[in-house]
Amino acid sequence: MRKQFLFIFLALIVAHTSQAQTRTTRIGYIDMEYILENVSDYKEATAQLELKAQKWKQEIEAKKLDINTLKEGLKAEKALLTKELIDERETEIKFLEDEMLDYQQKQFGSNGNLIHQKAALAKPIQDQVFTAVQDIAEAKNYDFIFDKSSDLTMLFSNKKFDISDQVIRVLNRTDKREQLTKKQLKDQEAKESKENAIDENPAMADRQKALDEKKTAREKLIEDRRLEQEAKKKEYDDRRKAIQAEREAKKNGTVSEPAKTTEAAKTTETGKTDATAKPAATNETTPPAEPAVNKAEERQKLYEQRKKELEERRKKIIEEREAAKKAKEAETQKSNTTNN
């Protein structure tokens, strides 16, 4: 049958070529499986069908588990049962097995529900594809358009003759037509026309690919520059905050500096007329150092006191351990003496 079809196909091509010598024959093909995988409605329906198939599989597994449980129970109790009871249980198990196999065949067989529902899901999309193929063939003067996923064997197919993406764009445009405004629809048609021209012209496709790569590289460069500017800005803000915090800390730690400066200025002015004022100024500036010395001495005393307390505590713990050890030895010696 396939050989006859190929023969008829070749004969039609030869006849058509002889009748239309003034122009070349245009041939294209589609991949129905690829188109179905890229149609959103079909993908959603297929996902729902897969959930239903998973539910059927779970029901079959539950039936198998029940049958295995009955088999194990019969195997364990077989020695205690009469022949009539054994035959009755084996008949019941056989009935359940046949019922399970029938259910499995009904859902997943070659003529089962899964196959029928898949075909029912694909049928509306296939009708739309056929309509779109006819529109494309009439608009672009195609002579033959084949389905790559059908029974027709294609030993080789050049990608430039594949119009599957054009069909998908037609289907998507039909779905979105009602949601788009006139301007959006016009822009969409111009974009699709450009994409179709790229699909039919490999040189244009390569040029478009190069343009897209340059655009991607330019966008990446802009993004890198933006990130670099943000990093520099963050570094500047952190440095500014650090300087501001340092100034605040310095300001809080030197509150009495203005007063000291005033006193020093007064002392200097007085020292010009009275030389005895300098020692007094020197005596006035030394007291602030005394609290620091006192604090250091207090910390040293507290450290020595803490060290002494820890040493005493360690000695006490050692003494308690020695006492407990001696008491245990004495008790052991006493117990040995009593036993003897």
Side-chain angles (χ1 to χ4, degrees), residues 274-308:
D274 188 5
T276 59
K278 291 182 179 180
T282 305
N283 292 333
E284 290 177 1
T285 56
T286 52
E290 293 180 0
V293 174
N294 293 336
K295 288 181 179 179
E297 290 178 354
E298 290 177 0
R299 285 198 298 270
Q300 185 65 25
K301 289 180 180 179
L302 290 173
Y303 173 76
E304 294 293 338
Q305 183 178 358
R306 179 64 177 169
K307 183 177 179 182
K308 185 177 180 181

Side-chain angles (χ1 to χ4, degrees), residues 140-194:
K140 300 189 176 182
N141 297 323
Y142 277 96
D143 297 300
F144 301 97
I145 296 178
F146 304 99
D147 183 6
K148 184 179 179 180
S149 59
S150 64
D151 294 334
L152 176 63
T153 301
M154 298 181 68
L155 299 179
F156 173 77
S157 58
N158 196 324
K159 183 64 178 175
K160 69 179 181 179
F161 298 119
D162 187 0
I163 63 170
S164 300
D165 290 327
Q166 297 182 35
V167 174
I168 292 173
R169 285 195 288 270
V170 171
L171 296 178
N172 292 334
R173 182 180 61 193
T174 303
D175 293 338
K176 297 178 180 179
R177 186 179 294 274
E178 297 179 357
Q179 303 174 5
L180 298 177
T181 61
K182 291 183 179 179
K183 185 176 183 304
Q184 291 174 338
L185 185 59
K186 187 176 180 181
D187 295 340
Q188 184 71 18
E189 290 177 351
K191 181 180 177 182
E192 290 175 0
S193 178
K194 182 179 178 181

